Amino acid sequence: MPESLIEVLPDIVSEGKKEVERIMDRLESPYKLGLQTNELVIPSKDIAGLLRGQVKDDIKSEWYNRLIYGDNLLVMQALLAGDEESGLPSMRGKIDLIYIDPPFDSKADYRTKIKLPNGDIEQKPSLIEQFAYSDTWKEGTVSYLKMMYPRLVLMKELLSEIGSIYVHVDWHIGHYVKILLDEIFGKNNFINEIVWGYKDIGSRAVQYFKRKHDVIYLYQKTDCRIFNIQRQQLSESTMQRFGSYFDENGHITYRWLKENNPGVFAKLKGQPDDLDQAWLDINNGQPLSDWWDDISPLKSHFNESTGYDTQKPEALLERIIKASSNENSIVADFFCGSGTTGAVAEKLGRRWIMSDIGKPACMITRKRLVDQNAKLFLYQSIGDYQKEIFTSSRIYKRIGDLSQVVITLFGALPFTPEQNPSRNLGYIKNTKTLVMVDSPSRLTGINTLKKAQELRETFMGGWNKVIVLGWNFTFDIGRVIRQLDDSRLEVQVIPPDLLDKLKTKSSYDKLLKNKQIRFSSLQYLTIKPIKRETVQDGRYEKLIIELDNYILLSPDALPIDDNYKEELQDIMAKDPLALIEYWSVDPDYNGEVFISKWQDYRDNTGNDSDPYKVVTSTELIVSKKEGKRKVCVKAVDIFGFESVAIEEV
């Protein structure tokens, strides 16, 4: 690494511009990225008492707020391209305010703490989540700036002509980020360096001055941005001290006579408009400066605290959103963390888009929005990461090459290209077991499994068993496997970080030698038979839904340290449903979009006193429907894995 970052800044900018060009070219191609809708969430949590089980049915909306799980570089590409499936036009030039609180290049390792009845488990960042939770970069600050540059450019593309961006950083990296912002937005469009000063929270600096502030850079896209002046309310002590100096209109009538006799107040001569100094308005307070020391950092005992390590206080976002957006403006946060931006935007009557690359962050945000009874919103994701990683791979240019590697790492022998032109099949030596590797470019589902069954019967004379290795799966894969009920068909998961580990040929040889790659079985949810009863004079129906069991993939494949795996195995054996983070119900599933009309989640103590567990049964009151109902139950475990159970009753 060069001694000075200044030496590599031109290269950072140049590489960033090339990446942005590739992204923009892709927007015009048939292969543009789209968003996958996981849920339409109607905030309606399980509660105790008479209203328990009441389901909201109103899903009409001209606009859907969006919580998106995924790498924000891909998320912004999808937003720029538009999402026809969910009715979202291109968001280019549509967002009035962007606030981001990215990692600070602090070299901290943000692991996720998962609270369980018998103690906490620390979840290490997965391949996808490393970006969010490991604030550590391979090339140090150079890597950080390479990450930031193209993202800031895409944010500029998304901003409206009256839009502003607030970039929240600290002393670690702020000075370098400002250089990028000057380059992208123009030095003339720099408005403020806001200093958010902390009160003393007990740090013990002995060899330097205490570091007690963050900085927030405010840039405009054009010189006609939205700006609603914010005023700092006068303190009670100020009012007591100077209250007699205000007239009946709330204007100061006395001024400090510095030039003549410091320490003496005198009656003003003339009107405030004639003065050469600003005057205070007793009703509104004084206009805010760029020094904010009146907002306290969040503490764990605050009501709004979610337990998220880097959560920002709502008061901070309220000030920003009020200043640089109007009612019904679209506000965005692409490093949303615990979801403070969206939560405050919701309360202030703004529309919002949030994204985060960490599933724990998205789960916290989802629960927070449900808790505050937000308007319905879409929970979406970028299709699949393995496809994107494979596309950017410089080693494996063809899917067949990658499939051969996966087959070998699984412990099977690949067939020759003559025997298998697709190069996705292999066999386990000295057995009649066929191995099939699915493509990282698609979701493994029922069509893939039926194809595997067909190959088992027909390929090279037939086989006793077929094992399907998949990267990504349709959300109903558990139901599909149970529906096929085929003991000679096995489905296993390719480790999600495999492509990251296969960066070089030597890394492949090492993995093969040490047998470090572990394939695992799928997780899935089972429910007890759903009961359906007519109630309330035949106008409504009651659905009695009870969870039965949850099967988790092998702990060996989970991103947790070895010392936690035994503890997890114990929990799985005693009470597998304790691993459920939240579950939700769509009582009229249409087979396409899951509409979450009821949900319960850990930390919801409004129905019971146990913050570690969800309720495992519910009785839902729904509108009467003739014929069969297709009920879909979705569960998400503490690690972010999803599974569904579907039943017609």
Side-chain angles (χ1 to χ4, degrees), residues 24 27 75-82 90-92 154 157-158:
M24 293 305 179
L27 295 180
V75 169
M76 287 187 284
Q77 291 180 52
L79 292 174
L80 286 168
S90 169
M91 296 304 294
R92 188 191 299 265
L154 296 189
E157 291 292 322
L158 289 165

Side-chain angles (χ1 to χ4, degrees), residues 131-298:
F131 174 81
Y133 296 110
S134 293
D135 196 353
T136 307
W137 311 93
K138 186 178 180 181
E139 300 177 81
T141 302
V142 172
S143 293
Y144 181 90
L145 297 176
K146 286 181 178 179
M147 177 277 295
M148 287 295 293
Y149 187 91
R151 288 166 172 80
L152 290 170
V153 175
L154 296 189
M155 291 178 203
K156 182 182 179 183
E157 291 292 322
L158 289 165
L159 274 181
S160 70
E161 294 301 297
I162 55 174
S164 304
I165 182 170
Y166 290 73
V167 180
H168 190 144
V169 288
D170 74 353
W171 59 271
H172 288 95
I173 199 67
H175 42 298
Y176 288 112
V177 171
K178 188 177 184 305
I179 293 173
L180 299 189
L181 289 166
D182 281 347
E183 162 71 18
I184 295 166
F185 288 88
K187 190 176 180 180
N188 293 335
N189 286 320
F190 170 59
I191 305 302
N192 280 116
E193 179 184 43
I194 299 164
V195 177
W196 177 35
Y198 316 138
K199 303 294 184 184
D200 194 327
I201 53 176
S203 66
R204 297 182 179 180
V206 293
Q207 295 181 334
Y208 53 86
F209 298 111
K210 290 183 179 180
R211 297 162 180 151
K212 292 296 182 182
H213 75 278
D214 290 354
V215 293
I216 306 172
Y217 296 119
L218 168 58
Y219 282 76
Q220 63 187 9
K221 188 171 182 179
T222 69
D223 59 4
C224 59
R225 74 188 187 283
I226 297 172
F227 188 73
N228 306 308
I229 192 166
Q230 299 296 289
R231 297 181 181 273
Q232 188 171 20
Q233 298 297 308
L234 300 179
S235 67
E236 185 175 346
S237 60
T238 300
M239 291 296 300
Q240 290 176 350
R241 185 179 178 188
F242 300 113
S244 62
Y245 299 140
F246 293 90
D247 64 19
E248 66 275 8
N249 297 315
H251 299 156
I252 285 183
T253 56
Y254 289 76
R255 68 177 294 183
W256 193 268
L257 298 178
K258 291 183 179 179
E259 66 277 7
N260 299 326
N261 191 2
V264 177
F265 281 87
K267 184 75 173 179
L268 291 176
K269 298 178 181 179
Q271 299 301 313
D273 295 345
D274 300 328
L275 299 177
D276 58 1
Q277 69 176 54
W279 46 270
L280 298 176
D281 186 317
I282 191 173
N283 298 312
N284 296 319
Q286 58 185 333
L288 277 173
S289 71
D290 58 7
W291 181 270
W292 298 354
D293 61 355
D294 59 329
I295 298 175
S296 301
L298 203 66

Side-chain angles (χ1 to χ4, degrees), residues 9 24 37 49 55 80 87 102 105 178 213 244 275 313 320 340 342 368 373 382 407 507 517 544 551 553 561 604:
L9 279 173
M24 293 305 179
T37 297
V55 172
L80 286 168
D105 189 30
K178 188 177 184 305
H213 75 278
S244 62
L275 299 177
I320 290 170
T340 302
R368 184 176 186 175
N373 199 28
I382 296 294
I407 290 169
S507 63
I517 298 300
I544 304 172
I551 308 299
L553 59 77
D561 291 327
N604 177 24

Side-chain angles (χ1 to χ4, degrees), residues 374-394:
K375 296 184 181 70
L376 69 172
F377 61 92
L378 289 175
Y379 177 41
Q380 299 182 295
S381 63
I382 296 294
D384 65 78
Y385 281 90
Q386 280 77 17
K387 179 181 178 180
E388 294 300 318
I389 296 170
F390 176 75
T391 302
S392 61
S393 172
R394 299 178 181 178

